[in-house]
Short mmCIF file of all heavy atoms in Angstrom, two decimals:
data_model
loop_
_atom_site.label_atom_id
_atom_site.label_comp_id
_atom_site.label_asym_id
_atom_site.label_seq_id
_atom_site.Cartn_x
_atom_site.Cartn_y
_atom_site.Cartn_z
N GLU A 1479 97.03 99.74 108.16
CA GLU A 1479 95.61 100.20 108.13
C GLU A 1479 95.41 101.15 107.00
O GLU A 1479 94.28 101.27 106.41
CB GLU A 1479 95.24 100.68 109.42
CG GLU A 1479 95.23 99.63 110.56
CD GLU A 1479 94.95 100.25 111.96
OE1 GLU A 1479 94.45 101.39 112.00
OE2 GLU A 1479 95.01 99.53 112.94
N LEU A 1480 96.37 101.92 106.78
CA LEU A 1480 96.26 102.98 105.61
C LEU A 1480 96.20 102.12 104.25
O LEU A 1480 95.35 102.46 103.39
CB LEU A 1480 97.47 103.88 105.48
CG LEU A 1480 97.71 104.81 106.78
CD1 LEU A 1480 98.95 105.63 106.51
CD2 LEU A 1480 96.51 105.66 106.88
N LEU A 1481 96.95 101.07 104.09
CA LEU A 1481 96.91 100.25 102.93
C LEU A 1481 95.54 99.58 102.85
O LEU A 1481 94.90 99.50 101.81
CB LEU A 1481 97.99 99.21 103.02
CG LEU A 1481 99.39 99.72 102.71
CD1 LEU A 1481 100.42 98.65 103.07
CD2 LEU A 1481 99.63 100.12 101.29
N ALA A 1482 95.06 99.08 104.02
CA ALA A 1482 93.74 98.43 104.12
C ALA A 1482 92.61 99.30 103.64
O ALA A 1482 91.62 98.88 103.03
CB ALA A 1482 93.50 97.84 105.47
N GLY A 1483 92.81 100.62 103.98
CA GLY A 1483 91.77 101.53 103.50
C GLY A 1483 91.57 101.56 102.02
O GLY A 1483 90.51 101.73 101.48
N HIS A 1484 92.72 101.42 101.31
CA HIS A 1484 92.58 101.44 99.87
C HIS A 1484 92.04 100.06 99.27
O HIS A 1484 91.48 100.08 98.11
CB HIS A 1484 94.07 101.67 99.24
CG HIS A 1484 94.57 102.96 99.42
ND1 HIS A 1484 94.32 104.02 98.57
CD2 HIS A 1484 95.39 103.48 100.48
CE1 HIS A 1484 94.88 105.13 99.01
NE2 HIS A 1484 95.54 104.84 100.16
N ALA A 1485 92.06 99.07 100.14
CA ALA A 1485 91.50 97.80 99.70
C ALA A 1485 90.10 97.53 100.31
O ALA A 1485 89.55 96.53 100.02
CB ALA A 1485 92.42 96.72 100.21
N GLY A 1486 89.55 98.59 101.02
CA GLY A 1486 88.23 98.34 101.61
C GLY A 1486 88.24 97.29 102.69
O GLY A 1486 87.16 96.75 103.12
N GLN A 1487 89.38 97.14 103.34
CA GLN A 1487 89.49 96.13 104.39
C GLN A 1487 89.86 96.70 105.71
O GLN A 1487 90.39 96.04 106.55
CB GLN A 1487 90.55 95.07 104.03
CG GLN A 1487 90.19 94.25 102.82
CD GLN A 1487 89.07 93.20 103.01
OE1 GLN A 1487 88.74 93.08 104.13
NE2 GLN A 1487 88.61 92.56 102.01
N GLU A 1488 89.80 98.06 105.87
CA GLU A 1488 90.26 98.67 107.03
C GLU A 1488 89.68 98.15 108.36
O GLU A 1488 90.37 97.93 109.33
CB GLU A 1488 90.05 100.21 106.99
CG GLU A 1488 90.73 100.98 108.07
CD GLU A 1488 90.69 102.46 107.90
OE1 GLU A 1488 89.96 102.94 106.89
OE2 GLU A 1488 91.34 103.20 108.66
N PRO A 1489 88.35 97.96 108.49
CA PRO A 1489 87.90 97.47 109.76
C PRO A 1489 88.45 96.07 110.12
O PRO A 1489 88.79 95.87 111.34
CB PRO A 1489 86.33 97.37 109.53
CG PRO A 1489 86.01 98.25 108.43
CD PRO A 1489 87.26 98.22 107.56
N ALA A 1490 88.56 95.17 109.22
CA ALA A 1490 89.12 93.81 109.51
C ALA A 1490 90.51 93.86 109.89
O ALA A 1490 90.94 93.25 110.86
CB ALA A 1490 88.93 92.92 108.28
N VAL A 1491 91.31 94.69 109.18
CA VAL A 1491 92.70 94.86 109.46
C VAL A 1491 92.90 95.54 110.82
O VAL A 1491 93.78 95.10 111.66
CB VAL A 1491 93.47 95.58 108.35
CG1 VAL A 1491 94.89 96.00 108.80
CG2 VAL A 1491 93.64 94.67 107.10
N ALA A 1492 92.22 96.57 111.12
CA ALA A 1492 92.32 97.25 112.42
C ALA A 1492 92.09 96.39 113.58
O ALA A 1492 92.76 96.45 114.55
CB ALA A 1492 91.41 98.50 112.32
N ASP A 1493 91.03 95.60 113.46
CA ASP A 1493 90.70 94.62 114.46
C ASP A 1493 91.87 93.63 114.80
O ASP A 1493 92.25 93.42 115.94
CB ASP A 1493 89.47 93.82 114.14
CG ASP A 1493 89.04 92.88 115.26
OD1 ASP A 1493 88.78 93.28 116.35
OD2 ASP A 1493 89.14 91.63 115.00
N ILE A 1494 92.44 93.05 113.73
CA ILE A 1494 93.57 92.19 113.84
C ILE A 1494 94.76 92.83 114.40
O ILE A 1494 95.48 92.48 115.40
CB ILE A 1494 93.92 91.48 112.53
CG1 ILE A 1494 92.72 90.65 112.04
CG2 ILE A 1494 95.10 90.63 112.81
CD1 ILE A 1494 92.89 90.11 110.57
N THR A 1495 95.04 94.12 113.98
CA THR A 1495 96.18 94.87 114.51
C THR A 1495 96.07 95.23 115.99
O THR A 1495 97.01 94.98 116.76
CB THR A 1495 96.28 96.20 113.76
OG1 THR A 1495 96.55 95.96 112.38
CG2 THR A 1495 97.48 97.09 114.32
N ALA A 1496 94.86 95.57 116.39
CA ALA A 1496 94.60 95.94 117.85
C ALA A 1496 94.80 94.77 118.66
O ALA A 1496 95.44 94.74 119.82
CB ALA A 1496 93.27 96.45 118.07
N ARG A 1497 94.42 93.60 118.21
CA ARG A 1497 94.52 92.35 119.08
C ARG A 1497 95.98 91.90 119.15
O ARG A 1497 96.54 91.47 120.14
CB ARG A 1497 93.67 91.24 118.49
CG ARG A 1497 92.17 91.51 118.57
CD ARG A 1497 91.35 90.55 117.77
NE ARG A 1497 91.54 89.19 118.31
CZ ARG A 1497 91.13 88.12 117.65
NH1 ARG A 1497 90.63 88.18 116.41
NH2 ARG A 1497 91.41 86.91 118.12
N ALA A 1498 96.76 92.03 117.97
CA ALA A 1498 98.18 91.74 117.97
C ALA A 1498 98.98 92.68 118.88
O ALA A 1498 99.85 92.24 119.64
CB ALA A 1498 98.71 91.73 116.57
N MET A 1499 98.66 93.91 118.89
CA MET A 1499 99.44 94.91 119.69
C MET A 1499 99.11 94.75 121.19
O MET A 1499 99.97 95.08 122.05
CB MET A 1499 99.08 96.37 119.30
CG MET A 1499 99.50 96.76 117.89
SD MET A 1499 101.38 96.59 117.73
CE MET A 1499 101.52 95.03 116.86
N ARG A 1500 98.00 94.17 121.58
CA ARG A 1500 97.71 93.98 123.00
C ARG A 1500 98.30 92.53 123.37
O ARG A 1500 98.16 92.17 124.53
CB ARG A 1500 96.10 93.79 123.19
CG ARG A 1500 95.49 95.19 123.04
CD ARG A 1500 94.07 95.18 123.64
NE ARG A 1500 93.17 94.16 122.98
CZ ARG A 1500 92.36 94.54 121.85
NH1 ARG A 1500 92.39 95.78 121.36
NH2 ARG A 1500 91.70 93.51 121.32
N GLY A 1501 98.94 91.83 122.41
CA GLY A 1501 99.47 90.57 122.74
C GLY A 1501 98.57 89.32 122.72
O GLY A 1501 98.89 88.27 123.17
N GLU A 1502 97.39 89.56 122.18
CA GLU A 1502 96.36 88.51 122.16
C GLU A 1502 96.63 87.56 120.96
O GLU A 1502 96.07 86.48 121.00
CB GLU A 1502 94.96 89.14 122.04
CG GLU A 1502 94.63 90.06 123.29
CD GLU A 1502 93.34 90.76 123.07
OE1 GLU A 1502 92.66 90.55 121.94
OE2 GLU A 1502 92.93 91.53 123.93
N LEU A 1503 97.34 88.00 119.96
CA LEU A 1503 97.61 87.20 118.84
C LEU A 1503 99.15 87.11 118.47
O LEU A 1503 99.84 88.13 118.81
CB LEU A 1503 96.86 87.72 117.53
CG LEU A 1503 95.40 87.76 117.51
CD1 LEU A 1503 94.87 88.47 116.27
CD2 LEU A 1503 94.84 86.32 117.64
#
């Protein structure tokens, strides 16, 4: 997510990360 912040992609990456950590992906 820190890397995504430099790419302007933080919201998209954070959403995918949260779903993966919950076991949804």
